[in-house]
Amino acid sequence: GFAGEHFRWVPSPERTLHFEREAYLRCAVNLSPEPMPLPARRRDLLASVPLVDGMLPPDASLWYVAEPL
């Protein structure tokens, strides 16, 4: 979950941040002027704004659980 030692950066487009905590818990932050693509296989937990066509709008963040392949 949110507590614990695990932290790793997830590859993401320029001007975005994407990291993972424990057990596939991830946070995506879009600092760019363009929508940020997100993984299709995910369970959204908390978004700062509504997603648009499954993408994260500019100046927004999303906590989600990535579903393993």
Side-chain angles (χ1 to χ4, degrees):
F2 291 95
E5 299 291 324
H6 179 81
F7 178 93
R8 81 172 181 93
W9 290 107
V10 176
S12 66
E14 189 173 324
R15 298 182 67 185
T16 66
L17 301 172
H18 202 176
F19 61 87
E20 181 177 82
R21 298 291 307 199
E22 302 291 331
Y24 302 103
L25 176 64
R26 292 184 177 182
C27 181
V29 181
N30 187 359
L31 305 170
S32 79
E34 303 297 325
M36 178 183 179
L38 295 166
R41 296 176 53 93
R42 67 178 196 281
R43 183 171 42 94
D44 297 344
L45 301 175
L46 179 66
S48 61
V49 299
L51 301 182
V52 177
D53 296 325
M55 296 198 298
L56 188 60
D59 300 319
S61 60
L62 171 69
W63 282 95
Y64 70 94
V65 175
E67 296 187 10
L69 297 174

